[in-house]
Amino acid sequence: MTVSLTTPLAKLLTNRRRISALKGLGVVTCADALTYYPFRVTDPVPLRAVREGRIGEPMAFAGVVRDVRVMPMNARRGYRLQAMVDDSAFAAERRVAGTVTALVFFSYKQQYVNWLSARLHTGASVVVCGTPSEYDGMPQFTHPEVLTVPASPSATQEPGHGQRFDADSIDDALRRVCRPRPVYHANSRISSEHIHDSIVTVLRALAAGDDDNAEPSAAQSGKAAQSTQSGSRGTTGTTATSLEPAELQESAPSPSRASGLSPAPDGIETSPKIPTAALRCAIPDILPESVREACGLMHRAEAFLAIHEPDSVDGFRNALHTLRYEEAFISQTAVLQEREQARKAETFPCTDGGMRETFIGSLPFTLTGGQASVIDDIVQDMGRDYPMQRLLQGEVGSGKTVVALAAMLQAVGSGYQAVLVAPTQVLAEQHAETVGGMVAKAGLAIPVTLITGGMKLAARRKALAVAAGGEPGIIIATHAAFSRTFQAPNLALAVIDEQHRFGVEQRETLLQRGEKIPHLLVMTATPIPRTAAMTWFGSLDLSWLTELPGGRKPIRTFVIPEADGPTMANMFWHIRHRVDAGERAYIVCARIDEDESADQAGQDAELFEEPDDAAGAGDAPGGSAAVQPKPPLHAVSEIAARLEALPQFQGVRFATLTGRDDDATKQQVMADFAAGITPILVATTVIEVGVDVPQASCIVMFDADRFGLSQLHQLRGRVGRGGTDSWAFLVSRAEPGSIAEQRLAVIQGSLDGAEIAQADLELRGAGDVLGDAQSGGKSGLKLLRVVKDAKMIADARARAEQVLAADPGLEHEVQLAGAVLDFTRGNESHLISS
């Protein structure tokens, strides 16, 4: 059977344990394997005799084991294995004197030590790769990478030891340890070396074209089996992930004059090539030939080969650039096609602006310049005969509701319906109250209908009937707008508040209800960097509200180490003084209960937790990184009990609010909080959206170092809405000098949401700017970086426009058309929804 990109790995690999481990990483097919990219590549390791070695610089050499000793460690349990290796023959070829050096391994597992001592028996021929150190005035290598090789070319197994070799010859072993090698994110079930071995197997199978030839030879399987022993850092024959090679300082001479190999630039001949021509047949290119040649990019098959089996670091980087550009080109082609498709649809032109002008004239304040400009753009868009598609981003309190109401009145004044969809019932009810009050104050006789899932059945049926009647009016709804029972035959405008909380499929369901497509205005207060918005919302016109209405005072933000008891006490006294002055305070926690797991906590909080070591688990042998466990998150129940017992809050009533509370409880809690009956509210992040209490002047966020910066900025926006002085306290347990501490410094020093989001993006990588892809997910974009690759994205967009202008249906670019379709299906819900 022919091997293709869709062939399951289960048909190529016989090791079921490895197949299962790869599946756990999301690698199921050949295509999955090729797009499981390494996060870095090691530098080539220079060949040096032991006498040429430099302390602290990686090197590789060949030698013979002269003596092996296993000694128990007296001070602690475990064993110390020391193998003395003589490099005289290897050093003679390099015209230097040979010497004996020690290879040292530590382990508390006797089984592992026995296995290792059997491999490194006296007389064994080995190739060593590691970083020399000095002990008692002698060089030694602690936990180096070791490959065993036969003493003669014809040997396949050492007599009396029953041990297969890791390489067929010294030259082969030196090539393997010295060439640059890709390093993959791994875990305790599979090492980076085994991931690499599996991907190379896929490449060879695709080049061979027949999966009968896919499985590695017995010798190769034996090498792989010996290459990693998880659970101990004393692994021999493991991947180079345990090394951190420095930049090459020199070019080493050829390892063996008798080998018959031509020396490569750094003195090492590369291993036999996978045939590129055959690989091209199995892996067709996606980029149009004209684009690839104009940009000087590699063929897709060559790029996969160069990134997973690199000959040089430069080749690896070129392959990375090619595949990044491919992702940029596919994504921009997709958004441009979506934009063009939307402009072919019919809609309701809305040209009567009488109601809108009446409303704006009734406002007790003057619109900001940003509000006036955005409203003008929306009015122009809604007057066209194809649907408006606009994203409005604005800070909390920047006046997005006024802009949305002006747009809805443009639709209603033209004789149609408009719907505003909110993510929560609390927010929907607040919108209904606010919009109804503004409309009434303007003297406009317009029905404002509220539809939520929590309404009583009779009231909900009545509201649905009003919407189904088609009379001009404004509808405020929650997710109920996406149900089959919601019908609005004359819907001319759909406004979606907090876009990141709705899926694309939900949005499309609403837009496809009638004979014509309504105009679409999506709003978000979640800060999105402009480069990210241009990338992911490329099919939408973009508007920003950056000015805050007059009267709003800047929020003073402080980062407080939780271990600093005096400062914590002063913070609580400050909050008590504000409460005594008639103000309110929020206390935010990530968890509901103390016994709640971190996964459950994620239901209320979008936490961002990243080890300070950006390399992650893939850097440790066997994929097990030594990341210190984080302390448990504080819970609402725990903090509420602690604060109530403090002398600062004697006589003050507390309330709690979490996602588990029903709608009636939430409404009562918020009413009591707003009235000052319970002036301190301990809550999860349910208060992030839909809470508007002007008297709130203080907010304390526990475990602030575990939240995303954009979410911290959103939460901070809950205070200072009444024109009073306001404070935000970020209580942190971040280590000094850590990335988490840097991230909190960003939010402490800025009130600009876009600036914060940009800094967050640069500190933690692209991740998910807009939703679920924060943890990786199944996003098809694995290499593109929306900040660093902004110029590349712009170039790809311009070239995609040229390609689509010449071939709108991509009829002559079948591979590109398929990739665009896969991207659209697989990414829209991950990149835009939450």
Side-chain angles (χ1 to χ4, degrees), residues 24 120 151 178 185 211 271 277 300 391 482 552 639 709 765 801:
L120 301 181
C178 291
H185 283 298
D211 58 0
S271 56
R300 193 173 197 232
L391 169 68
F482 305 124
R552 292 289 297 272
I639 292 298
L709 292 192
E801 286 176 343

Side-chain angles (χ1 to χ4, degrees), residues 215-277:
E215 191 65 30
S217 67
Q220 290 171 321
S221 299
K223 296 169 197 171
Q226 298 168 13
S227 65
T228 302
Q229 293 289 317
S230 61
S232 171
R233 197 159 178 82
T235 301
T236 61
T238 188
T239 179
T241 53
S242 59
L243 301 176
E244 294 291 344
E247 288 291 323
L248 269 179
Q249 303 294 326
E250 64 185 18
S251 295
S254 176
S256 174
R257 292 186 299 274
S259 65
L261 299 175
S262 301
D266 37 15
I268 305 155
E269 178 62 32
T270 58
S271 56
K273 288 274 190 181
I274 295 174
T276 306

Side-chain angles (χ1 to χ4, degrees), residues 394-401 427 430-431 434 497-498 525 548-556 583-584 586 670 673 687-699 713-727:
E395 295 287 349
V396 175
S398 61
K400 296 188 297 298
T401 303
L427 185 55
Q430 285 192 0
H431 276 318
T434 302
D497 195 11
E498 293 304 328
L548 292 180
R552 292 289 297 272
K553 295 183 179 180
I555 303 168
R556 282 172 277 189
E583 297 169 9
R584 315 282 185 269
Y586 297 107
M670 290 309 304
F673 179 64
I687 67 163
E688 179 186 357
V689 174
V691 174
D692 188 359
V693 179
Q695 299 90 342
S697 64
C698 296
I699 185 168
H713 181 61
Q714 279 280 85
L715 289 165
R716 179 171 59 180
R718 295 301 103 198
V719 299
R721 303 171 73 84
T724 61
D725 291 330
S726 53
W727 296 264

Side-chain angles (χ1 to χ4, degrees), residues 561-646:
E562 189 172 339
D564 186 349
T567 305
M568 291 283 288
N570 289 336
M571 175 185 71
F572 291 135
W573 278 119
H574 172 80
I575 293 172
R576 175 59 187 262
H577 294 326
R578 302 322 307 164
V579 169
D580 290 343
E583 297 169 9
R584 315 282 185 269
Y586 297 107
I587 310 292
V588 180
C589 303
R591 292 195 300 170
I592 299 175
D593 299 320
E594 289 186 72
D595 58 352
E596 181 186 12
S597 68
D599 290 340
Q600 289 173 312
Q603 296 173 3
D604 276 294
E606 297 173 9
L607 302 180
F608 174 73
E609 302 178 46
E610 178 178 326
D612 290 340
D613 178 9
D619 266 343
S624 56
V627 179
Q628 293 296 324
K630 294 181 180 292
L633 299 167
H634 289 301
V636 168
S637 56
E638 168 213 349
I639 292 298
R642 279 176 52 185
L643 297 187
E644 285 179 322
L646 291 176

